[in-house]
Amino acid sequence: MHIRYYKEYSHHLHRDMEFKVYGHAGLPIVVFPCQDGKFYDFEDRGMVASVAGHLENGQLQLFCVSCVDEETWSAGGGDYHGRILWHEQWFKYLCEEFMPRLHQIHAETDPTPYYGKVILSGASMGGYHCVNFYLRRPDLFGGCLSLSGLFHAGYFFPNYDDVDIYYNSPVDYLPQMPYDHPLVEQFRRGKIIICCGQGAWEDEAKADARIMQEQFNRLNVPAWIDLWGEDVNHDWPWWLIQFPYFVNKLLGD
């Protein structure tokens, strides 16, 4: 399997950002880490190995990125506006710096040009990021595969009244979108998968997933909201089962 580590400077964040690429060709998926996690967690937890066949045969390429959660979503209290503005800088880094780099790397390793859009994925906080990024930039991304994501900014910014936080809270802004909103038409052409269990530590994720399902139904967006059983917990052993299952669906297997 092709594996390569990168450490490159971000002009938006004024620091080096690390990421790792697995596979040489196929569908590119950007993977966000869990809350405060690292770009290498997906590999260390066996998630990369769970789709090794697709990576080796050129159907799939994973780009595991770094986050700034410790300075934004996890930095309890403090300056709400400053925290969310730093998150916005990371958002710009991913969209404006990392994505062109992704396409460059993909072109270097895949002899067949890729003309489709990139899919986003992640578990827990990573599951939130992938949905929020997709809903904000469906022009740039082709869909999301979210595992156990939470979609309300209030979990991390209690009682907020900041407009920038609002626009990073899908269960707030999605219900306000009209049926004919220009972004909604793009949502209808994307691939949206939101999965969570109904076991331990999944109560908030389950509640948020149902809100998202209601809103996607209202907007006639064909999202797949999949709630697994009461034995399915918010933890790596289940994500290790869910991720390859849904990747197979994305690849048409």
Side-chain angles (χ1 to χ4, degrees), residues 28 39 59 68 75 80 88 125 128 141 172 183 205 213 244-245:
F39 67 93
Q59 290 182 291
V68 295
Y80 277 17
E88 287 297 299
M125 178 63 83
Y128 155 75
F141 305 112
D172 281 334
L183 290 178
Q213 184 172 39
Y245 171 78

Side-chain angles (χ1 to χ4, degrees), residues 72-73 79-92 128-129 132-133 136 151-154 156-157 159-174:
T72 54
W73 297 90
D79 177 9
Y80 277 17
H81 191 61
R83 287 165 56 194
I84 203 63
L85 286 185
W86 191 239
H87 166 81
E88 287 297 299
Q89 288 300 109
W90 178 64
F91 182 88
K92 291 178 182 178
Y128 155 75
H129 286 313
N132 187 51
F133 269 67
R136 291 181 60 184
F151 306 117
H152 196 303
F156 304 93
F157 296 90
N159 305 314
Y160 64 87
D161 58 3
D162 188 305
V163 67
D164 290 298
I165 297 174
Y166 168 85
Y167 282 113
N168 283 284
S169 184
V171 300
D172 281 334
Y173 65 69
L174 197 61

Side-chain angles (χ1 to χ4, degrees), residues 126-142:
Y128 155 75
H129 286 313
C130 75
V131 170
N132 187 51
F133 269 67
Y134 170 68
L135 294 179
R136 291 181 60 184
R137 292 296 307 270
D139 61 313
L140 189 60
F141 305 112

Side-chain angles (χ1 to χ4, degrees), residues 5-21:
Y5 162 79
Y6 296 83
K7 184 177 183 180
E8 300 180 348
Y9 185 77
S10 164
H11 293 281
H12 282 299
L13 297 171
H14 309 293
R15 65 174 67 165
D16 288 330
M17 295 295 287
E18 298 173 284
F19 62 95
K20 206 164 182 179
V21 180

Side-chain angles (χ1 to χ4, degrees), residues 103-220:
H103 287 290
Q104 183 181 40
I105 292 170
H106 189 87
E108 291 170 354
T109 60
D110 187 351
T112 303
Y114 179 78
Y115 298 108
K117 292 182 179 180
V118 173
I119 301 295
L120 306 171
S121 188
S124 194
M125 178 63 83
Y128 155 75
H129 286 313
C130 75
V131 170
N132 187 51
F133 269 67
Y134 170 68
L135 294 179
R136 291 181 60 184
R137 292 296 307 270
D139 61 313
L140 189 60
F141 305 112
C144 51
L145 165 54
S146 171
L147 307 177
S148 300
L150 303 174
F151 306 117
H152 196 303
Y155 297 122
F156 304 93
F157 296 90
N159 305 314
Y160 64 87
D161 58 3
D162 188 305
V163 67
D164 290 298
I165 297 174
Y166 168 85
Y167 282 113
N168 283 284
S169 184
V171 300
D172 281 334
Y173 65 69
L174 197 61
Q176 305 307 314
M177 280 190 171
Y179 189 87
D180 58 352
H181 193 288
L183 290 178
V184 172
E185 181 56 38
Q186 295 184 68
F187 298 161
R188 295 180 185 128
R189 298 193 297 268
K191 296 179 180 179
I192 303 171
I193 301 173
I194 295 175
C195 175
C196 72
Q198 301 183 70
W201 313 296
E202 288 281 53
D203 288 348
E204 290 86 358
K206 178 175 64 175
D208 285 0
R210 286 175 170 160
I211 293 172
M212 300 295 282
Q213 184 172 39
E214 291 172 0
Q215 294 306 313
F216 286 133
N217 288 342
R218 175 182 68 84
L219 296 169
N220 195 30

